Amino acid sequence: MERAASARLFRFIEGSKMEFPSTADFLEAFGIEPVEEDPGMAYCRYVKQSGDGLQELDISFSAVAKSFQVVLRCGGRELVSVSSEKVRLIKLRRDHSGSGIHVVFDVRDGTSEAVVTLEPDLRCHWWTLRS
């Protein structure tokens, strides 16, 4: 069962929208504040280290660009970098596997989602499937 969290709603000139958690939500849920923020782009970047300090996940998103990025580093070296546009929703989640964020993308003729776990271990699952 997922934990509900408050979310900001950002409206575009074109009338599209993207839901995403506030900085206060991230602070409350994970104890982290943005390491970078640009209110004009509705952009936030967060870095979360693993318990042993050897790995880190760097996540960022922009409501104006409707984009989401995640970078996994180990020992200071970048191992994986994935990004996508057309984000529809970013929400906080908590279930039996841990807590983190769930990202849903608008893709034509399919579904694309990412689940980024920040606690207890750092993990990222990202998929795109045809309908």
Side-chain angles (χ1 to χ4, degrees):
M1 183 173 292
E2 293 184 1
R3 180 176 80 76
S6 62
R8 295 188 297 188
L9 189 61
F10 188 87
R11 296 194 186 279
F12 293 95
I13 296 169
E14 307 87 18
S16 64
K17 60 187 176 184
M18 176 181 143
E19 279 186 57
F20 57 99
S22 70
T23 55
D25 292 329
F26 271 91
L27 183 60
E28 180 184 330
F30 311 114
I32 56 175
E33 294 182 338
V35 295
E36 191 175 354
E37 194 172 6
D38 179 353
M41 290 295 293
Y43 171 83
C44 286
R45 181 175 155 241
Y46 297 89
V47 176
K48 176 75 172 177
Q49 289 200 331
S50 61
D52 60 12
L54 297 176
Q55 303 157 335
E56 71 177 19
L57 269 175
D58 187 327
I59 58 174
S60 59
F61 56 88
S62 167
V64 173
K66 295 179 78 171
S67 65
F68 178 80
Q69 302 78 35
V70 64
V71 177
L72 174 63
R73 293 185 189 90
C74 186
R77 293 183 45 213
E78 187 176 302
L79 298 178
V80 177
S81 176
V82 184
S83 63
S84 185
E85 294 180 326
K86 295 191 169 190
V87 175
R88 178 175 12 124
L89 169 71
I90 300 173
K91 66 181 178 177
L92 302 182
R93 63 185 296 279
R94 183 177 309 271
D95 62 19
H96 67 280
S97 67
S99 60
I101 58 174
H102 182 197
V103 185
V104 178
F105 303 91
D106 279 327
V107 294
R108 189 174 173 163
D109 299 328
T111 188
S112 184
E113 299 181 35
V115 173
V116 179
T117 304
L118 300 173
E119 296 172 350
D121 300 311
L122 302 179
R123 278 190 303 260
C124 180
H125 299 274
W126 196 308
W127 64 93
T128 301
L129 302 170
R130 293 181 292 175
S131 295

